[in-house]
Amino acid sequence: MKNLLNQKEILRYSRHLLLPQVGLKGQEKLKSAGVLIVGAGGLGSPVSLYLTAAGVGRIGIIDYDDVEDSNLQRQVIHSTSRIGTPKVESAKAYLSDLNPYVQINSVNSVLSAKNIENIAEEYQIIVDGSDNFSTRYLLNDYCFFHKKPYIYGSVFRFEGQVSVFDARYGPCYRCVFPNPPLPGVVPDCGEGGVFGVLPGTIGTFQATEVIKLILGLETNPYGKLHLYDALDLSIQTIQLKKNPQCKICGENPAITTLEEMAYSCGFYGAEDLLPADWNWSVMELAQKQKDGYPLRLIDVRDPVEREVVILEGSENIPYEGITTELFKNETLPIVFYCRNGIRSARVVKKLRDDGIDKAFNLAGGTNAWAREINSALKQY
């Protein structure tokens, strides 16, 4: 049999070749494998870095964002010099330099039910580096129909989750999370923050699971949800079971084709949560303040965020502490704001649904105020 590795590759992977569980045959399995990574951000960075370093032969990366300053605190395959570059181009440049013996295929696009069949066809394992629910359900459903493992990961603040879903051998993602939350209900790391090293830990766990699957190092990685807490370095493992009522892999499935489902695979802004007349622009608020218009301005951010920037004249009632009771007798317009208008939009929606018709959202939040009204204030 022809050796798949040349002399330089054998030297590169020599520490793998010394492991009885890997050896030459195992390294050749890695070289013959194909893995698709969805997302080139916080999770996609360490996943792609370690799979490339390990010698996985074909790695696909799909993302549609450009590199931004705020990415660099945790997205370690990007750099300051690549700000403004599509993430997939930045990732491909980094990974190709790291290991020229790995084929890196980049796709600068939004993943959808329309294109996933063509994009994912050549890969045997799918890794989730996304940060939105619609993508997770799309990946789970695609993997179910095509009998592929789905390596799930998520991060928020100091906590992360990892699991290997494959309905052939255990539960799928829908077994555990039957329905996605409504748009905007669950904050992402852009609103709640994320500890910079956490995606590195969770992404490395995901890469570990991929490599073990390729090498066959674990006979049953399925049906386990690993919960990691970076504050005390603890890991809890929850045993998961298949759900007989699961919409896709249960006894009477309601989903029988990928085309039946609607997957937006995007991010929700204030415009997705509220009617236009429930929002005030920063220009509108600034003019009303200048005219002496009576109103209440309420900051729903955590107090720590007010150390970065505060809008003059605002009160601080953190998001978690806001209730309808606080405002049921209010006669003035109440304008809520946060960093970018998402958390405050959720507050306004809840209050409006409860009959508080004087609640308004400051579209764009403090970042829009700093861009359009007062450039001396900090954006973050």
Side-chain angles (χ1 to χ4, degrees):
M1 177 179 174
K2 182 180 179 182
N3 192 337
L4 296 180
L5 306 178
N6 61 38
Q7 177 61 67
K8 289 186 177 181
E9 288 176 285
I10 288 175
L11 289 174
R12 177 181 287 263
Y13 306 127
S14 62
R15 299 305 185 271
H16 264 177
L17 303 183
L18 296 172
L19 294 173
Q21 297 89 341
V22 184
L24 182 61
K25 290 183 179 180
Q27 194 62 48
E28 290 178 337
K29 287 182 180 179
L30 291 171
K31 186 176 178 67
S32 299
V35 178
L36 176 65
I37 303 167
V38 180
L43 293 174
S45 288
V47 171
S48 61
L49 190 158
Y50 278 102
L51 293 186
T52 300
V56 172
R58 285 185 338 282
I59 295 177
I61 304 175
I62 179 169
D63 202 308
Y64 62 94
D65 275 341
D66 295 339
V67 179
E68 300 177 355
D69 293 85
S70 62
N71 301 149
L72 303 181
Q73 164 250 17
R74 64 202 176 281
Q75 299 182 16
V76 294
I77 59 174
H78 308 303
S79 63
T80 302
S81 64
R82 295 198 182 110
I83 290 174
T85 303
K87 284 186 180 178
V88 291
E89 291 183 14
S90 173
K92 184 172 183 176
Y94 182 95
L95 298 172
S96 297
D97 182 61
L98 174 65
N99 191 344
Y101 303 106
V102 171
Q103 177 184 334
I104 307 295
N105 302 321
S106 61
V107 181
N108 187 16
S109 176
V110 176
L111 189 68
S112 70
K114 294 180 179 179
N115 63 18
I116 191 172
E117 300 279 357
N118 290 332
I119 291 171
E121 181 180 10
E122 65 178 292
Y123 304 101
Q124 64 203 72
I125 298 173
I126 310 298
V127 183
D128 183 2
S130 68
D131 60 359
N132 65 89
F133 287 96
S134 55
T135 303
R136 292 169 188 160
Y137 285 94
L138 172 60
L139 295 180
N140 175 79
D141 297 356
Y142 169 82
C143 287
F144 169 77
F145 289 123
H146 292 272
K147 298 179 173 55
K148 297 181 181 183
Y150 164 45
I151 314 300
Y152 159 74
S154 69
V155 293
F156 183 68
R157 292 193 168 176
F158 292 90
E159 299 176 347
Q161 302 180 357
V162 178
S163 190
V164 179
F165 291 111
D166 191 326
R168 294 173 294 177
Y169 312 111
C172 77
Y173 181 80
R174 285 187 184 271
C175 288
V176 185
F177 306 103
N179 298 299
L182 295 174
V185 170
V186 178
D188 60 25
C189 67
E191 298 173 61
V194 62
F195 192 43
V197 299
L198 177 64
T201 305
I202 299 302
T204 304
F205 285 166
Q206 290 179 281
T208 301
E209 295 288 21
V210 170
I211 293 171
K212 289 193 302 179
L213 280 176
I214 294 170
L215 296 176
L217 294 183
E218 186 176 354
T219 57
N220 187 24
Y222 314 102
K224 302 171 185 176
L225 180 64
H226 305 287
L227 309 177
Y228 174 73
D229 188 333
L231 288 177
D232 60 9
L233 298 183
S234 65
I235 301 177
Q236 299 180 43
T237 299
I238 299 175
Q239 298 296 321
L240 307 175
K241 294 183 179 179
K242 286 184 74 71
N243 178 4
Q245 276 72 53
C246 178
K247 292 180 180 179
I248 194 166
C249 74
E251 296 171 357
N252 297 293
I255 304 169
T256 57
T257 68
L258 201 62
E259 291 73 20
E260 291 174 347
M261 300 303 296
Y263 307 94
S264 63
C265 295
F267 301 92
Y268 299 108
E271 64 276 8
D272 300 298
L273 301 174
L274 302 177
D277 60 351
W278 293 4
N279 287 298
W280 282 16
S281 70
V282 291
M283 295 294 292
E284 185 176 2
L285 175 60
Q287 186 61 51
K288 288 184 181 297
Q289 288 180 321
K290 182 179 179 181
D291 295 341
Y293 188 85
L295 57 88
R296 289 182 69 184
L297 182 60
I298 296 179
D299 183 353
V300 305
R301 300 172 301 159
D302 288 337
V304 68
E305 295 179 73
R306 288 170 69 85
E307 297 175 7
V308 182
V309 59
I310 301 174
L311 298 191
E312 187 176 348
S314 65
E315 311 168 45
N316 184 211
I317 307 177
Y319 176 84
E320 293 81 3
I322 291 181
T323 65
T324 304
E325 291 297 312
L326 292 175
F327 306 102
K328 65 179 182 179
N329 296 319
E330 183 58 65
T331 59
L332 297 176
I334 322 159
V335 182
F336 296 88
Y337 77 87
C338 61
R339 180 179 74 96
N340 55 13
I342 304 301
R343 281 170 285 175
S344 52
R346 289 201 295 268
V347 167
V348 169
K349 185 176 189 313
K350 174 179 173 12
L351 295 179
R352 287 276 186 160
D353 289 346
D354 290 343
I356 310 297
D357 59 4
K358 293 185 179 297
F360 297 91
N361 176 54
L362 183 63
T366 61
N367 281 346
W369 190 274
R371 287 192 304 268
E372 301 177 36
I373 306 299
N374 186 355
S375 61
L377 298 182
K378 299 291 192 296
Q379 298 183 51
Y380 68 104

